Amino acid sequence: MRKNTIKTILAMASATGFSLLIDLFGVDNESIIMVFLLSVLFTAVLTSSRGWAIGAALLSAVLFNFLFTEPRYTFFIYSTNDLMLLAFFLVTGTVSGTVTSRLQREMELASQNERTARTMYRIASGFLSVSSRESVVKKAEDLVRQYAGLDCRVDFDQADNEKGYDIKSTSGILGKLVLLHGEPENQQQLLIVQAVCTQLGIALERENLVADREKIQLAMEREQQRGMFLRSVAHDLRSPLTALSGAGNLLSDNYDALTDCERRKLASDVSEEIVWLTDLVENILNMTRISEQKIVLHKQDEVIDDVIGEAVKHTERLLRDRNFQVKLPEEVVTVPMDGKLISQVIINLLENAARHTPPDSEISLAVKTSGNLLEVSVADTGNGVPEAIRSHLFERFVTQDERVVDGRRGLGLGLAICRAIVNAHGGEIHVEDNVPKGSIFIFTLPMEDRI
Amino acid sequence: MNEKRTILVIEDDKYISHFIDISLSKEGYRVLVAETAEEGMFLFSSHRPDIVLLDLGLPDRDGIDLLRDLRAFSDVPILVVSARGQEKEKIVALDLGANDYITKPFYMGELMARIRVSERSLQNTEFEPRDSQFSCDWLTVDYEKRKVYVSGNEIHLTPTEYKTLLLLIANKGKVLTHNYIIRQIWGYEGGDSKSVRVFMANLRRKLEKDTAHPRFILTEVGVGYRFADE
């Protein structure tokens, strides 16, 4: 209102001033009235209101009458010409003012509509780039703040009495968008809030669908893995069990018929098979413990000598005939770790080395510190890792392809367990080529607990 | 051994108790077998065995409870035999006063060795033999002169290290938990076990020829230390 008054007065004043100026040079009334007509149009454009345009036309008529018609500085009109001029001016001014102001209003409306459409588009596309529930919710809050200038939060605990805007989806009301300070002041803000609610509903539903699909996929994978695992276990258990029951039967049924030496051999076979089975069971137990994502580390500061000693004690039987060497650091090194699990890693690496290398190859276990890391390496001078399994060596169920179909192959769990354990400690494990021949398995452990 | 030692086996698995029974009987022990904690308690009170082999997973009660009850009135050596391989449980059992802990599956030879260790500790309490020196392989400890020799060469041990070595030798064959060692050597409880480990590692470096294959000070990872008994 105030603004429009000022605009109108300014337009009128400048028209009057300009008219007075050109009047000094003897310009005709017909031209002067054009100046006023122009100011009426300006007023219509500036205020985009019909009322002000008509007001300006009337005011112009009065001013023109007072200032420029004979007799001057009175409201009388002597000449019919001037009267006609004034009458036509009034009609023209009113009509053109009205038309112009309406045009102006429509233009403004159109640009406002365009702005709204653009905002809606930004709101809708804003949700496309974000994933995960938290970031979708955060995006919604950001959008309301950015476009409506309102602070809000999203509430999933459906308190029915709470004020707010429903976030709907096809599966019902998901939650509420609650404005923190007051209500929207105008239609525009309300529209934005509602649009955000709608888009948020769609985005949340999309997130739910994605999560469901992931869950299903994970379950399927797990099921598949379980199947594979059971098949491998069954296969690997069958042969030692056959051997065991055979030897046991032979001993109990034909005890007297067997020579002392044969009995002893059978009995030692039985105990050897059992040692193998025990290892297998130990590995399976470890694997289930790890694959259930419940790997619980009982971390303590262990002296690395102790852990190495434990591992060596367990593998002594396998390495008895090998050229086996251990190199420990000079000083006493303690590292936070789950000693039992790390020694299992070393046992697995040593067993692998013993199992997959020819009897004349050398195996060495070395420990050293480098910076903030402890580095444990098991090197052998065997034939190296076959290229075919190299890239997925640390995955589950990877075994060396042996030509014998029914041969004992192990479950291919050992290195997968190693990786899981080392990673859980925040370390890394990898394999390198040993120069000139063989391979080195190296894993690192951080020497300080970062937690 | 002129009299037959009596061993009470509390174990619910028939196969396991059967072969333990046979192996122990062959070695000349008198064996009593109980399948439940209740039966075990009854046999214990009626026969007063010299050694108890206790399984933790019993059908009627937890073995740990039974262990606590037995310790309340008896100092009889108790060897825990269990399939529970967790260090925490070993420590609980040892701290409650179990003399040793054997994880299933075990080798009979190992069980026998552990039983012999317990027997020796029985004799020790009975006769208190106090030699003037301890000698095993390349390690010699002269109690009177307070000197320690490795391969005939005298080595220097700090007073605490010497005290620890004596503690280990006195309990040789038996697992000593970190807590137990802290309590015995430093005289307070719940200290940090890291310092014990470092301390032991240092002691081991002075005594052992190959620290990766220790001859004397054996580590039970996560539980404690054992001094080799033979």
Side-chain angles (χ1 to χ4, degrees), chain A residues 301-302 305-306 330 340, chain B residues 87 197 204-205 219 225:
Chain A
D301 285 301
E302 296 276 2
D305 305 19
D306 290 354
E330 281 299 316
K340 198 90 188 174
Chain B
E87 291 79 33
R197 288 161 214 259
R204 187 183 276 159
R205 268 153 208 262
T219 307
Y225 295 90

Side-chain angles (χ1 to χ4, degrees), chain B residues 66-86:
Chain B
L66 185 62
L67 173 65
R68 198 176 286 127
D69 286 0
L70 284 174
R71 269 290 167 264
F73 62 88
S74 169
D75 286 332
V76 66
I78 298 175
L79 275 73
V80 170
V81 179
S82 172
R84 303 181 195 170
Q86 294 290 313

Side-chain angles (χ1 to χ4, degrees), chain B residues 41-93:
Chain B
M41 208 58 177
F42 171 75
L43 285 176
F44 185 85
S45 351
S46 51
H47 289 81
R48 293 282 155 186
D50 299 297
I51 294 171
V52 177
L53 288 187
L54 175 64
D55 178 27
L56 290 188
L58 293 172
D60 52 343
R61 283 174 75 187
D62 196 90
I64 291 282
D65 291 341
L66 185 62
L67 173 65
R68 198 176 286 127
D69 286 0
L70 284 174
R71 269 290 167 264
F73 62 88
S74 169
D75 286 332
V76 66
I78 298 175
L79 275 73
V80 170
V81 179
S82 172
R84 303 181 195 170
Q86 294 290 313
E87 291 79 33
K88 233 194 295 174
E89 282 164 339
K90 290 187 194 175
I91 293 172
V92 168

Side-chain angles (χ1 to χ4, degrees), chain B residues 103-147:
Chain B
T103 313
K104 288 177 192 169
F106 53 83
Y107 301 105
M108 206 52 222
E110 192 182 350
L111 181 63
M112 287 301 176
R114 301 285 176 88
I115 287 174
R116 283 196 292 277
V117 169
S118 308
E119 266 184 291
R120 266 200 300 278
S121 75
L122 275 179
Q123 282 161 354
N124 283 354
T125 51
E126 282 161 20
F127 308 113
E128 280 287 333
R130 188 75 179 175
D131 301 330
S132 65
Q133 72 168 32
F134 167 84
S135 194
C136 185
D137 268 12
W138 62 79
L139 177 71
T140 306
V141 182
D142 191 325
Y143 293 133
E144 274 163 15
K145 292 182 187 155
R146 292 181 71 92
K147 278 182 179 165

Side-chain angles (χ1 to χ4, degrees), chain A residues 275 278 289 298 300-303 305-310 312-313 316 326 328-332 334 339-340, chain B residues 85-88 90 105 107 178 193-194 197-198 201-202 204-205 211-214 218-222 225:
Chain A
V275 169
T278 311
R289 205 176 134 196
H298 301 288
Q300 279 185 313
D301 285 301
E302 296 276 2
V303 175
D305 305 19
D306 290 354
V307 181
I308 298 279
E310 171 89 1
V312 170
K313 194 167 79 188
E316 235 158 10
V326 183
L328 291 173
E330 281 299 316
E331 72 281 20
V332 175
T334 65
K340 198 90 188 174
Chain B
Q86 294 290 313
E87 291 79 33
K88 233 194 295 174
K90 290 187 194 175
Y107 301 105
H178 296 123
S193 65
K194 180 180 171 177
R197 288 161 214 259
V198 175
N202 279 320
R204 187 183 276 159
R205 268 153 208 262
T211 48
H213 298 83
L218 309 177
T219 307
E220 299 278 325
V221 169
Y225 295 90

